[in-house]
Amino acid sequence: MKTRESGMPDEGLWESFFQPERTLRLLGLSENCRTAVEFGCGYGTFTIPAARIVSGVVFAIDIEPEMVRATAARATAAGLSNVRVCQRDFVAEGTGLPDASVDYAMLLNILHAERPESLLAEARRVLTPGGTLGIMHWNYDPSTPRGPSMDIRSRPEQLRTWAESAGFVTACDQPIDLPPYHYGWVMRRPR
Ligand SMILES: C[S@@+](CC[C@H](N)C(=O)[O-])C[C@H]1O[C@@H](n2cnc3c(N)ncnc32)[C@H](O)[C@@H]1O
């Protein structure tokens, strides 16, 4: 089932909201990571820079054929051979990745899902012990130019609580400011 309010505007508008490489680095992605997964890759806004950072493969999952095609085409155009794009419903079927198989998981602009706890549990399952989860979400502020409705938009503390309940340990004291419109958390799967 496609996550509520997860449709995308046109690519140029979407990408005007982000500084993807800076964001990924602030969210703990580094060259020390081999493999990564993105839940809901959209246009590949974060998949492509992540693939330039990691030493291995980035798995990019999306339910929409158009998004799968867009991300795959970008990877090809960029000469990246380490992006594995997959059309799949991660709500209904999970990621399909083995337990403890990736070093870094991305839950970016997706935790307004109906059951965020299940996405967090799946991220924990696929992460290696000591692996990192990067979370980014729209600020809890009705004046942002996009983002989920306020009644399903989480405050930073709520996302932290859900992630900790799913078995993550928070790796930063405060939410990370990702201007102009986002915040983030870095979480670790305990060893
Ligand atoms: C708001 S976009 C975020 C895209 C990307 N993470 C980013 O921040 O640029 C959410 C994406 O998740 C995808 N999506 C929503 N529900 C999904 C599901 N159940 N399984 C796989 N992909 C899903 C949507 O098609 C959309 O491309």
Side-chain angles (χ1 to χ4, degrees):
M1 182 187 66
K2 185 168 176 175
T3 295
R4 59 190 175 184
E5 297 191 31
S6 66
M8 295 287 266
D10 77 58
E11 188 174 345
L13 176 62
W14 183 254
E15 304 225 328
S16 72
F17 301 140
F18 304 105
Q19 303 174 62
E21 184 183 346
R22 178 168 188 275
T23 291
L24 289 170
R25 293 207 180 267
L26 286 169
L27 293 180
L29 187 67
S30 76
E31 287 74 7
N32 295 332
C33 296
R34 277 179 305 115
T35 45
V37 59
E38 182 169 15
F39 288 64
C41 59
Y43 295 112
T45 307
F46 293 89
T47 307
I48 300 301
R52 292 200 174 100
I53 294 172
V54 301
S55 58
V57 164
V58 179
F59 297 97
I61 301 169
D62 207 288
I63 198 169
E64 289 288 351
E66 184 191 344
M67 297 297 143
V68 167
R69 274 196 298 274
T71 300
R74 269 175 100 161
T76 302
L80 292 166
S81 58
N82 63 337
V83 179
R84 306 278 180 276
V85 192
C86 174
Q87 187 191 346
R88 188 178 177 96
D89 179 346
F90 51 63
V91 172
E93 307 173 287
T95 58
L97 297 172
D99 291 354
S101 60
V102 299
D103 301 311
Y104 192 89
M106 292 175 261
L107 285 170
L108 311 176
N109 301 306
I110 195 71
L111 284 175
H112 54 289
E114 286 81 351
R115 295 181 56 235
E117 307 91 336
S118 69
L119 301 187
L120 289 158
E122 177 66 357
R124 188 183 187 283
R125 183 187 70 76
V126 301
L127 277 172
T128 52
T132 303
L133 168 65
I135 290 174
M136 177 175 64
H137 208 48
W138 290 90
N139 289 344
Y140 193 79
D141 172 357
S143 72
T144 58
R146 289 260 327 169
S149 308
M150 292 309 290
D151 56 330
I152 60 166
R153 198 185 294 206
S154 298
R155 295 175 192 271
E157 280 309 316
Q158 175 67 77
L159 289 188
R160 177 181 184 161
T161 300
W162 281 332
E164 290 177 352
S165 297
F168 286 98
V169 172
T170 309
C172 47
D173 289 340
Q174 297 293 323
I176 296 165
D177 191 22
L178 302 170
Y181 304 121
H182 290 77
Y183 66 87
W185 287 109
V186 180
M187 302 279 165
R188 297 230 194 276
R189 175 181 168 164
R191 288 181 192 281

